[in-house]
Amino acid sequence: MISFFWILFSDKFIYSLSSNADILTRLQTYKGWFFISSTSIFLFYLINNEITKNNKIQHELVKARLKAEESDRLKTAFLSNISHEIRTPLNGILGFSDLLCEEKIEPESKKIYIDQVNNNGQSLLKIINDIIEVSKIQQNILSVNLKDFELNHLIIAILEKYATALKAKGLNLLIKNDSSQKSYTLHSDYDILKTILSNLIDNAIKYTEKGNITIGYHITEKSIHLFVEDTGIGISKEDAHIIFRRFKETSMTKKSNDGFGLGLSISKGLAEALNGQIEVQSELGRGSRFTVVIPKRQKD
């Protein structure tokens, strides 16, 4: 279309400039070369732009394919571990249940067997709950139940929940609340926050051999900062970038035979469901501090 109008009007314009045959011949020559040059530049631009777009699309496709392949590998490894993780506590439950069926059992032995059945049952329940939570987060069907509750009551409930586990490992659980707030009413999801903090304390107990685990919070103008701090093995800089990624194995999870490391990725997803985020500060060999930052009041 552009070429048609160029041919149609350029001749009229040239003939209006002069009636000299030599001059008109030169102008026609210049016009021809100008048309060829401008058309070539325009075509070059179009072709180059198309090639750039195709290269970008190809790059994105390759990137997406590699990401999908990595995700598939991680999920395959995760699923292959599930059977082992589920069988371990299940075999414990079945084995100690068989022992309880014996006719003559010493009272002390019976108590040990019952404790083992209970502990393995709790481990199995946690594995199943983790799998369910991951599924909800992946499918974005997590329900948030907002209500007012005392934040200190949540801290005390977690303290009571882990009192036995901490005592068994010889660890102290310290509470460090904002000194200006003896009590604080938070409008958020009690159960989700309890799950997040429980996951963080589970990890802290798992990777801390001696010392303290501290749980607490401080309040800013717009948000609540809840934290769990330990004196454990700490996290390397390399692992700090991937510990919240689902199905990703780190040097920490490789060393631990307890669970398959979904707690932190679940906590990250739950924190985001509360319009918040989770952060980590750690130094290898010197412990870790995980902080959950959420708005002071969630919107209903």
Side-chain angles (χ1 to χ4, degrees), residues 20-34:
N20 187 289
D22 292 334
I23 294 175
L24 289 175
T25 301
R26 284 198 297 270
L27 289 175
Q28 287 287 2
T29 303
Y30 296 151
K31 182 195 78 171
W33 280 112
F34 174 78

Side-chain angles (χ1 to χ4, degrees), residues 78-94:
F78 168 73
L79 292 172
S80 67
N81 287 334
I82 284 181
S83 59
H84 169 72
E85 297 294 340
I86 291 178
R87 278 201 302 267
T88 300
L90 189 57
N91 287 337
I93 294 170
L94 295 174

Side-chain angles (χ1 to χ4, degrees), residues 40-298:
S40 300
I41 293 171
F42 181 67
L43 288 175
F44 173 79
Y45 171 78
L46 289 179
I47 294 171
N48 184 65
N49 188 53
E50 193 65 26
I51 291 173
T52 302
K53 285 167 59 176
N54 287 336
N55 287 339
K56 186 176 180 181
I57 292 171
Q58 288 292 332
H59 177 72
E60 292 296 327
L61 288 173
V62 171
K63 187 177 178 181
R65 179 177 60 80
L66 292 175
K67 186 175 180 181
E69 289 175 353
E70 181 189 12
S71 178
D72 285 341
R73 285 195 300 271
L74 293 172
K75 287 181 180 180
T76 300
F78 168 73
L79 292 172
S80 67
N81 287 334
I82 284 181
S83 59
H84 169 72
E85 297 294 340
I86 291 178
R87 278 201 302 267
T88 300
L90 189 57
N91 287 337
I93 294 170
L94 295 174
F96 286 105
S97 296
D98 289 339
L99 292 174
L100 286 169
C101 293
E102 294 181 359
E103 294 182 2
K104 297 180 180 180
I105 308 175
E106 296 292 332
E108 292 182 1
S109 297
K110 185 175 182 180
K111 183 179 182 307
I112 293 173
Y113 298 161
I114 291 173
D115 287 342
Q116 287 295 328
V117 170
N118 182 60
N119 292 337
N120 282 287
Q122 292 295 329
S123 296
L124 182 60
L125 181 61
K126 186 178 187 310
I127 291 170
I128 294 171
N129 284 338
D130 282 352
I131 295 170
I132 292 172
E133 289 295 335
V134 167
S135 178
K136 286 181 179 179
I137 292 169
Q138 278 188 312
Q139 298 178 39
N140 198 26
I141 58 173
L142 191 68
S143 60
V144 178
N145 180 27
L146 301 176
K147 60 182 180 181
D148 291 336
F149 61 89
E150 290 292 329
L151 188 53
N152 287 342
H153 291 172
L154 171 62
I155 302 294
I156 292 170
I158 291 174
L159 174 62
E160 293 174 348
K161 177 182 177 181
Y162 286 97
T164 302
L166 289 161
K167 185 178 180 181
K169 205 166 181 182
L171 300 172
N172 300 312
L173 181 60
L174 308 177
I175 298 177
K176 187 178 181 182
N177 293 341
D178 193 311
S179 59
S180 64
Q181 295 284 344
K182 293 182 178 179
S183 179
Y184 184 81
T185 300
L186 181 62
H187 185 72
S188 190
D189 191 305
Y190 179 93
D191 293 325
I192 287 181
L193 274 179
K194 187 175 181 181
T195 300
I196 294 172
L197 294 174
S198 295
N199 285 338
L200 296 179
I201 291 181
D202 277 334
N203 264 16
I205 293 173
K206 188 188 303 183
Y207 298 111
T208 304
E209 294 302 323
K210 60 181 180 179
N212 304 318
I213 294 174
T214 304
I215 181 173
Y217 64 87
H218 69 271
I219 303 169
T220 64
E221 184 179 351
K222 296 182 179 180
S223 58
I224 305 291
H225 296 242
L226 300 105
F227 65 87
V228 173
E229 189 173 9
D230 63 62
T231 56
I233 62 174
I235 304 168
S236 67
K237 291 182 179 179
E238 293 77 13
D239 285 347
H241 296 293
I242 61 174
I243 54 173
F244 296 111
R245 290 173 61 183
R246 205 171 297 140
F247 312 124
K248 195 71 176 179
E249 189 176 44
T250 68
S251 58
M252 292 169 61
T253 54
K254 287 176 183 177
K255 293 177 182 177
S256 173
N257 295 319
D258 185 10
F260 37 81
L262 285 177
L264 290 178
S265 64
I266 290 173
S267 295
K268 180 178 182 292
L270 294 177
E272 289 172 351
L274 296 178
N275 300 311
Q277 60 184 10
I278 185 167
E279 304 166 349
V280 61
Q281 294 173 299
S282 184
E283 187 176 345
L284 200 59
R286 292 195 157 187
S288 305
R289 180 186 177 102
F290 288 88
T291 304
V292 183
V293 184
I294 61 170
K296 288 178 77 171
R297 184 171 184 85
Q298 300 285 334

